[in-house]
Amino acid sequence: MTPENSPSPGAVDASALGLIPAPRTLTAAAAGPYPLGYRTPLTAGPGTEGVARWLRATLGPPTGLPLPEGDGTGTSAGDGSGRGSTGQGIVLALDDSLAPEGYRLAVEANAVRLTGGTAAGVFRGAQTLRQLLGPDAFRRAPLAPGRTWEVPPVVVEDEPRFGWRGMMLDVCRHFLPKDDVLRYLDLLAAHKLNVFHFHLTDDQGWRIEIKRYPRLTEVGSWRSRTKYGHRASELWDETPYGGFYTQDDIREIVAYAAERHIRVVPEIDIPGHSQAAISAYPELGNTDVVDTAALSVWDTWGVNPNVLAPTDDTLRFFEGVLEEVLELFPADTSPFVHMGGDECPKDQWKESPLAQARIAELGVKDEDGLQSWFIRHFDAWLTARGRRLIGWDEILEGGLAEGAAVSSWRGYGGGIAAAEAGHDVVMCPEQQVYLDHRQDGGPDEPMPIGYVRTLENVYRFEPVPPGLSEEAARHILGTQANVWTEVMQNRARVDYQVFPRLAAFAEVAWSALPAPADRDFAAFDARMRTAHYARLDALGVDYRPPGGPYPRQQRPGILGFPREGEPPVV
């Protein structure tokens, strides 16, 4: 059954357990609750060893249980303290008859059996097992050493609706240190999300070390000051600001994501949003129309007029960048590379004799064709190296590169056009799933941006627009929520904007829900209040409380950019 259907005989009330995202089926097991004790073994079948390591490392601190390795015979003994258990303990296995990320978790008389179509499926099921143990299983140390831990008597059969369930994190406008990025990977994993879109370059900062071009971080990762609030605000933070990830940091982040079966999509934004790169290497800019040597890393927000020059040297420069990026983000973890392509003003190209000569040389129609030339070049370059290019929906302008996929951000329209033309699409319309947009219309929302998108609004978001042909709908890879950090100066502000709405988004991306108007938001809200807010508390997430922001979360007097009414569906 879907999580919204009426319970069938043997079904379990999902609200009582607070599982999020809601599984496809949740039924009562014949056996009673399964106790976990000091000697309860954890047996990892072939291919599930990594999940077993994660379970021990994650459940050991809050429970105090070592979950010793099972010997494969399915036997263990109690220790006489009442903490032991008999039987097979927790058993992990693969079953290729299940969907790749599908799993079956069954509580039996002598075991908790967790079987997945792949190791990723077992890992998704391990997240459900952790939720079944209660919110205290999300802590880092036991609250009551020696307490009894039990797995409720349930059978869960589950698989995701979409293969792409992601979140984009902008670390350019405001930088998050490596440990905060690793923490967000854990939060994505806890919600069964499987794509981390890592926005690494922009006008306000270049955040990834490229050894061939050291000035990208020596110069491009630092700005002299920062606009405080919306770009129309008169306030500034005069503290020099910056930071970047070393190549070893990136390798660690990618490996950490891989252990959690999360793909990482690095983004190197071209040909717009490039002032940080131009400030480091002025020859990358349109030197025939602007003094690029006078440019610095941008200190405010919005659409920047300084874009890359359409030269062969620019192409070679970014090929050099991408050669190092591909080495840092291996194909098995990062099959896609995001090349931006958004918000590229064409004014400098219109004024540039060099750019106009290039348009004539290439035989393209106009400046849109010149941007398409950029994207097509790197589409072919990445394809030749076994990767796929994905870009924001502006890459449709001037003609879409043959193998490119589209992140549809300005609405549904770009994604619909791309899917109908046979291109793969990730739906992330700003009107629905931009989590920097405000959560309420009240006066206490900190630096209010955009339309009001409440928890319920996000829960009723539908990634596949009505009217899309069946063939085109197959090109919808999935969906992601985007987190732009212009007004999020630190981890606490990111937490406030992202949560609890990411929990609703995760259910939309994972669960087989009815049409938006028919979704039972009250039941979802009950599961949040029953258990999930307590899980977020245990994880230390500084989410927006249901009753509104705490005083410390407010930012009174800091100008935002609120937009009124319902967002348009475009």
Side-chain angles (χ1 to χ4, degrees):
M1 71 173 187
T2 68
E4 307 295 329
N5 290 342
S6 298
S8 58
V12 175
D13 180 8
S15 65
L17 298 173
L19 296 181
I20 290 178
R24 295 207 170 204
T25 67
L26 177 64
T27 55
Y34 188 85
L36 302 182
Y38 196 74
R39 294 191 181 180
T40 301
L42 172 56
T43 300
T48 70
E49 297 86 353
V51 183
R53 285 194 299 272
W54 180 87
L55 272 171
R56 289 189 181 96
T58 303
L59 295 184
T63 65
L65 302 177
L67 299 175
E69 186 173 350
D71 62 6
T73 65
T75 61
S76 65
D79 62 0
S81 67
R83 296 180 297 169
S85 64
T86 59
Q88 296 179 320
I90 300 172
V91 181
L92 311 180
L94 299 181
D95 179 352
D96 60 12
S97 69
L98 298 174
E101 288 189 276
Y103 67 91
R104 185 177 190 271
L105 191 159
V107 175
E108 301 176 357
N110 61 354
V112 176
R113 299 193 182 276
L114 176 51
T115 307
T118 62
V122 178
F123 185 77
R124 309 301 172 220
Q127 301 298 334
T128 299
L129 174 61
R130 188 186 188 190
Q131 289 195 10
L132 288 171
L133 290 173
D136 287 347
F138 289 75
R139 297 191 176 275
R140 297 185 183 181
L143 295 184
R147 66 172 278 186
T148 299
W149 294 86
E150 291 183 337
V151 185
V154 295
V155 176
V156 181
E157 297 188 38
D158 203 8
E159 64 181 78
R161 179 185 179 192
F162 292 110
W164 185 301
R165 307 179 306 280
M167 189 189 89
M168 187 226 70
L169 182 63
D170 164 24
V171 295
C172 299
R173 278 50 178 263
H174 282 100
F175 179 70
L176 283 183
K178 179 193 70 176
D179 282 354
D180 288 343
V181 174
L182 299 179
R183 172 178 176 267
Y184 257 85
L185 290 170
D186 280 329
L187 291 171
L188 297 188
H191 291 83
K192 296 187 174 70
L193 298 175
N194 69 342
V195 175
F196 178 58
H197 177 167
F198 205 6
H199 184 78
L200 288 164
T201 73
D202 217 298
D203 300 303
Q204 296 84 2
W206 184 284
R207 304 292 180 221
I208 177 172
E209 179 188 24
I210 302 297
K211 293 185 181 296
R212 188 176 312 186
Y213 306 122
R215 286 177 59 84
L216 286 172
T217 47
E218 290 171 359
V219 174
S221 70
W222 296 94
R223 57 181 183 256
S224 62
R225 64 176 186 170
T226 300
K227 177 66 72 172
Y228 191 42
H230 184 258
R231 61 181 175 271
S233 167
E234 296 181 355
L235 300 177
W236 294 87
D237 182 340
E238 298 290 347
T239 306
Y241 186 90
F244 65 92
Y245 307 103
T246 68
Q247 293 203 350
D248 281 344
D249 290 339
I250 294 291
R251 291 186 181 96
E252 181 181 357
I253 288 167
V254 170
Y256 198 85
E259 289 174 349
R260 286 146 184 80
H261 300 275
I262 293 173
R263 286 175 285 160
V264 182
V265 179
E267 181 177 357
I268 306 297
D269 207 342
I270 63 165
H273 286 291
S274 296
Q275 183 160 320
I278 296 170
S279 72
Y281 293 91
E283 64 272 20
L284 295 174
N286 294 285
T287 57
D288 54 349
V289 296
V290 65
D291 180 9
T292 57
L295 295 177
S296 59
V297 177
W298 211 26
D299 55 13
T300 189
W301 322 125
V303 178
N304 188 298
N306 295 298
V307 302
L308 297 175
T311 66
D312 288 339
D313 286 344
T314 300
L315 297 183
R316 299 292 89 76
F317 182 95
F318 279 90
E319 287 174 359
V321 168
L322 289 171
E323 285 173 1
E324 296 192 27
V325 167
L326 296 192
E327 189 273 327
L328 295 170
F329 295 88
D332 55 349
T333 302
S334 302
F336 285 88
V337 175
H338 206 291
M339 298 302 298
D342 61 316
E343 297 180 326
C344 178
K346 310 301 192 297
D347 297 339
Q348 289 184 357
W349 289 349
K350 290 177 181 178
E351 297 175 18
S352 164
L354 185 151
Q356 292 302 310
R358 200 70 201 247
I359 289 173
E361 174 192 341
L362 295 171
V364 297
K365 180 180 178 181
D366 53 18
E367 291 77 18
D368 285 343
L370 199 55
Q371 175 164 331
S372 178
W373 167 76
F374 263 101
I375 300 301
R376 287 176 183 273
H377 175 86
F378 285 105
D379 176 61
W381 191 92
L382 288 167
T383 298
R385 289 156 180 80
R387 307 298 180 96
R388 290 190 64 188
L389 181 145
I390 186 168
W392 303 112
D393 56 57
E394 287 96 332
I395 69 174
L396 290 160
E397 298 165 3
L400 185 58
E402 182 178 350
V406 170
S407 301
S408 189
W409 77 272
R410 290 181 294 180
Y412 290 105
I416 291 171
E420 293 286 5
H423 291 271
D424 289 339
V425 172
V426 176
M427 282 293 184
C428 50
E430 66 163 327
Q431 302 88 351
Q432 310 297 330
V433 289
Y434 267 35
L435 299 184
D436 48 309
H437 286 201
R438 57 191 173 138
Q439 303 186 61
D440 189 86
D444 294 332
E445 292 305 306
M447 301 188 202
I449 301 294
Y451 295 102
V452 172
R453 292 289 86 189
T454 65
L455 184 65
E456 182 171 359
N457 291 144
V458 174
Y459 191 66
R460 298 192 188 280
F461 164 62
E462 173 49 49
V464 180
L468 199 63
S469 70
E470 184 176 340
E471 181 178 353
R474 287 196 288 270
H475 285 286
I476 306 297
L477 299 177
T479 183
Q480 71 181 33
N482 293 338
V483 183
W484 300 103
T485 60
E486 287 92 338
V487 296
M488 303 180 211
Q489 298 85 357
N490 51 46
R491 185 179 87 177
R493 280 288 290 122
V494 175
D495 278 2
Y496 179 90
Q497 293 298 135
V498 170
F499 289 99
R501 292 183 295 182
L502 193 71
F505 174 80
E507 185 147 312
V508 168
W510 177 277
S511 303
L513 299 176
D518 298 328
R519 293 177 189 172
D520 190 348
F521 175 73
F524 171 80
D525 190 51
R527 283 181 279 126
M528 290 292 297
R529 294 173 187 271
T530 297
H532 205 67
Y533 284 117
R535 295 183 191 116
L536 297 178
D537 286 332
L539 288 166
V541 176
D542 204 8
Y543 59 87
R544 181 189 189 275
Y550 297 122
R552 63 177 172 76
Q553 295 172 320
Q554 300 169 17
R555 298 291 185 274
I558 309 301
L559 185 67
F561 185 63
R563 306 182 73 177
E564 302 302 332
E566 281 295 306
V569 179
V570 293

